[in-house]
Amino acid sequence: MTAVKPVLCVGCTVIDFVTINESFPTEDTDRRCLDGYWQRGGNASNVSTVLRLLGANVDFFGMLSRSNGFRVLLDDLDQRGIGIQHCPKTEKDPPFSSVIIVKETGSRTIVHCNKNYPYITWEDFRKIDLDRYGWVHFEARQSQETIKMIKTVQEHNRNHNSNILISLDFETTFEKNLPLCGLCDYVVFSSELASQQGWKSSQETCYALASSLKPECPSIICPWGSTGAACLDTVFNKFSNVAAFKPDHIVDTLGAGDSFMAGFIYATYVMQCSLSDAVSFANRVAGHKITDFGYDHIAELQADNKLATK
Ligand code: FRU
């Protein structure tokens, strides 16, 4: 484990203002929630948190802010031992999300406010010493910059005879982000985006995406809520559907997708699992995440992660 190089997670960090509600609020009413808190959120930021809780070494690379409101995020990154040494800083206020969790179902409704907060650029990324890392994870956004960052990792692999693995979290803007996929080893494709494409199942999504990517096709993973997750191993041309891990109670589904992503990276990279075993572990991490608020309880899986895919 000590020989495993850190993972670099590239993307956003935001503040999540979370309220827990008896039921979903009616429009134009004034009501009290049952409880609430704020926490660090954002896709790559949550992936970093969960990877740390599972026991991996992680650096986050995203735009940080000097604004006072951002202090809570910096403190949290620091307390969790997530490296931020490469991150550029802006004076702008951080992006935030209002999150409504409904107690009865654990559903989360996110309203995100970004206000054109700056995104990290290739100019920032190229200063990083990639030799430090064994895996680089990207969010599929700002495709013009991200494509250059991914190509820089590929170039590093060629020039240094190394094999840094590259994953992509693909959740939005299909046409713009599609060109990123062929450059990665693993793409996790969201069911929400699949539905927007008119793809009706995780299996259909894997094959439809693969056919739009040929001949440069990564392994494709498509989580599909309680029905489980599908994966298409394009190296061995093998399709599998992996059953979901169904917890006996659901409390908070915020960040379940990010927890899946982190579980997948951890199982593939650190535990050296096969694709379908890694998806199974990812299902388990996501399934455990939703049994409680926040992310800290995910550390409970660390102790028995060797047994996790059994
Ligand atoms: C959950 C999340 C939240 C954040 C939102 C941004 O997946 O990362 O933490 O508010 O998505 O879209």
Side-chain angles (χ1 to χ4, degrees), residues 14 16 41-43 46 97 110 112 254-255 258:
V14 314
D16 284 342
N43 296 143
N46 290 337
S97 297
I110 303 173
H112 185 60
L254 177 65
D258 302 330

Side-chain angles (χ1 to χ4, degrees), residues 230-265:
C231 54
L232 182 61
D233 188 329
T234 44
V235 179
F236 300 107
N237 196 21
K238 192 169 169 248
F239 174 83
S240 323
N241 198 29
V242 185
F245 178 85
K246 293 207 173 100
D248 53 13
H249 62 292
I250 300 177
V251 171
D252 164 25
T253 55
L254 177 65
D258 302 330
S259 303
F260 178 95
M261 188 78 239
F264 175 76
I265 295 172

Side-chain angles (χ1 to χ4, degrees), residues 57 64 185 217 285:
N57 288 321
L64 304 182
D185 298 287
C217 194
V285 175

Side-chain angles (χ1 to χ4, degrees), residues 3-298:
V4 178
K5 290 183 176 183
V7 176
L8 179 66
C9 294
V10 180
C12 297
T13 184
V14 314
I15 307 182
D16 284 342
F17 293 100
V18 182
T19 57
I20 299 145
N21 298 267
E22 196 66 59
S23 60
F24 196 80
T26 310
E27 187 180 350
D28 206 15
T29 55
D30 180 352
R31 51 142 74 199
R32 301 289 169 266
C33 62
L34 299 170
D35 199 355
Y37 49 89
W38 58 44
Q39 66 184 11
R40 180 169 49 81
N43 296 143
S45 168
N46 290 337
V47 173
S48 308
T49 304
V50 178
L51 276 168
R52 268 312 279 144
L53 290 165
L54 290 170
N57 288 321
V58 190
D59 288 346
F60 171 75
F61 180 63
M63 184 60 73
L64 304 182
S65 165
R66 288 196 189 87
S67 108
N68 287 336
F70 204 83
R71 193 71 248 166
V72 50
L73 306 194
L74 294 178
D75 289 347
D76 188 65
L77 285 159
D78 187 47
Q79 276 155 23
R80 291 179 186 276
I82 297 170
I84 52 168
Q85 65 274 36
H86 309 297
C87 298
K89 283 196 176 143
T90 172
E91 303 300 325
K92 295 209 169 164
D93 285 335
F96 63 93
S97 297
S98 300
V99 182
I100 296 172
I101 293 178
V102 174
K103 189 180 172 209
E104 185 72 14
T105 59
S107 78
R108 97 292 182 251
T109 303
I110 303 173
V111 181
H112 185 60
C113 179
N114 181 286
K115 293 198 280 189
N116 287 329
Y117 186 75
Y119 198 65
I120 26 114
T121 63
W122 173 74
E123 282 297 330
D124 303 319
F125 184 83
R126 65 194 278 264
K127 296 176 200 150
I128 299 174
D129 173 14
L130 290 172
D131 223 18
R132 270 179 57 73
Y133 302 103
W135 188 298
V136 185
H137 171 67
F138 291 91
E139 287 181 29
R141 63 175 77 240
Q142 302 283 344
S143 56
Q144 285 190 353
E145 291 302 311
T146 304
I147 210 159
K148 288 193 277 178
M149 297 187 215
I150 298 177
K151 284 185 174 165
T152 299
V153 182
Q154 289 186 321
E155 201 178 295
H156 176 93
N157 279 343
R158 277 194 301 275
N159 295 343
H160 295 77
N161 198 20
S162 68
N163 186 29
I164 300 174
L165 293 164
I166 304 170
S167 56
L168 184 72
D169 178 11
F170 196 169
E171 288 191 356
T172 55
T173 38
F174 183 76
E175 308 293 341
K176 274 201 177 141
N177 289 321
L178 193 62
L180 303 177
C181 296
L183 307 172
C184 301
D185 298 287
Y186 302 98
V187 171
V188 175
F189 196 85
S190 86
S191 59
E192 212 170 310
L193 189 56
S195 304
Q196 285 169 27
Q197 291 304 114
W199 299 334
K200 295 193 176 56
S201 69
S202 51
Q203 179 163 3
E204 185 183 347
T205 302
C206 286
Y207 283 110
L209 185 61
S211 74
S212 40
L213 289 174
K214 273 177 189 159
E216 297 275 331
C217 194
S219 286
I220 297 167
I221 300 102
C222 182
W224 207 269
S226 59
T227 64
C231 54
L232 182 61
D233 188 329
T234 44
V235 179
F236 300 107
N237 196 21
K238 192 169 169 248
F239 174 83
S240 323
N241 198 29
V242 185
F245 178 85
K246 293 207 173 100
D248 53 13
H249 62 292
I250 300 177
V251 171
D252 164 25
T253 55
L254 177 65
D258 302 330
S259 303
F260 178 95
M261 188 78 239
F264 175 76
I265 295 172
Y266 188 81
T268 308
Y269 178 52
V270 181
M271 295 162 73
Q272 299 274 302
C273 291
S274 68
L275 186 70
S276 57
D277 282 351
V279 171
S280 177
F281 183 69
N283 275 343
R284 177 166 170 163
V285 175
H288 188 62
K289 148 62 220 149
I290 65 180
T291 62
D292 210 341
F293 295 108
Y295 301 96
D296 287 340
H297 58 292
I298 292 175

